Amino acid sequence: MSKYLIVQDVADCIGCRACEVHCKSKNHPGPGAFYCRMLKVASADVPTPKINFVYLACFHCEKAWCIDACPTGAMRRRDKDGIVYVEEKACVGCKACITACPWTVPQWNAETGKVGKCDLCMDRIDQGLEPACVTKCTTNCLHFTTPLEASESARQAYAEQLMHNRR
């Protein structure tokens, strides 16, 4: 599993898609391809319909099916932090990783004839910066963190909600 992850405060997201725009601007995934996506989720079974937006990017899985499916070894995991990335020079464009990923995270770049995907902007991480999607989030609902910090934050928020509901 990756040492890092991006979490979203769904309640704060307005669906502006700034994350998608800045990711595309930085990474150039090609026409129609997105390394992160903002999905619209509607609930119609409530008295007042509600729309939420859910951020989806690579999960950098511990057992990454995309890595196992890649016949050339182009899909790789960085030893130091577990980030799953594509070594573009080794990619032959077979799309096996796209088929293998249950979330269709790897994306086909028709301009290069190769696959690309979210690598958490590892070049930015190496410079001590956060991923482009996080730094440009309009409402600051995306957070670059570690699994432990995310878990502690979620537990704290849940505890605060319980205390608030008791009042």
Side-chain angles (χ1 to χ4, degrees):
M1 186 168 178
S2 173
K3 179 178 165 183
Y4 306 109
L5 65 127
I6 297 171
V7 294
Q8 175 198 22
D9 289 335
V10 175
D12 292 340
C13 182
I14 60 172
C16 69
R17 293 189 156 81
C19 52
E20 291 179 1
V21 171
H22 291 285
C23 176
K24 277 187 90 69
S25 177
K26 182 206 176 288
N27 295 301
H28 311 287
F34 294 87
Y35 292 172
C36 70
R37 293 174 285 197
M38 192 54 69
L39 306 176
K40 185 189 305 185
V41 181
S43 57
D45 61 337
V46 292
T48 305
K50 181 169 174 53
I51 295 176
N52 286 316
F53 298 92
V54 179
Y55 177 82
L56 176 67
C58 184
F59 296 108
H60 302 275
C61 304
E62 188 170 345
K63 175 90 172 104
W65 295 359
C66 59
I67 292 174
D68 293 342
C70 182
T72 65
M75 195 66 68
R76 301 177 181 180
R77 177 184 314 282
R78 252 184 10 172
D79 289 334
K80 72 179 184 177
D81 53 22
I83 293 174
V84 176
Y85 68 100
V86 180
E87 182 61 53
E88 190 175 331
K89 293 175 189 166
C91 179
V92 295
C94 71
K95 302 181 188 176
C97 57
I98 295 172
T99 304
C101 178
W103 300 277
T104 61
V105 165
Q107 298 283 297
W108 177 249
N109 186 328
E111 292 176 342
T112 64
K114 296 181 183 282
V115 171
K117 61 173 283 306
C118 168
D119 62 9
L120 292 174
C121 295
M122 61 185 190
D123 58 324
R124 291 177 55 85
I125 291 171
D126 292 344
Q127 297 172 38
L129 303 171
E130 293 184 332
C133 61
V134 173
T135 61
K136 300 298 183 178
C137 178
T138 305
T139 61
N140 297 312
C141 72
L142 295 181
H143 307 282
F144 183 62
T145 186
T146 66
L148 180 60
E149 288 170 351
S151 177
E152 288 172 356
S153 257
R155 284 194 304 269
Q156 180 65 33
Y158 181 68
E160 288 171 5
Q161 180 184 18
L162 288 176
M163 293 304 292
H164 177 73
N165 289 342
R166 286 185 177 171
R167 292 181 196 160

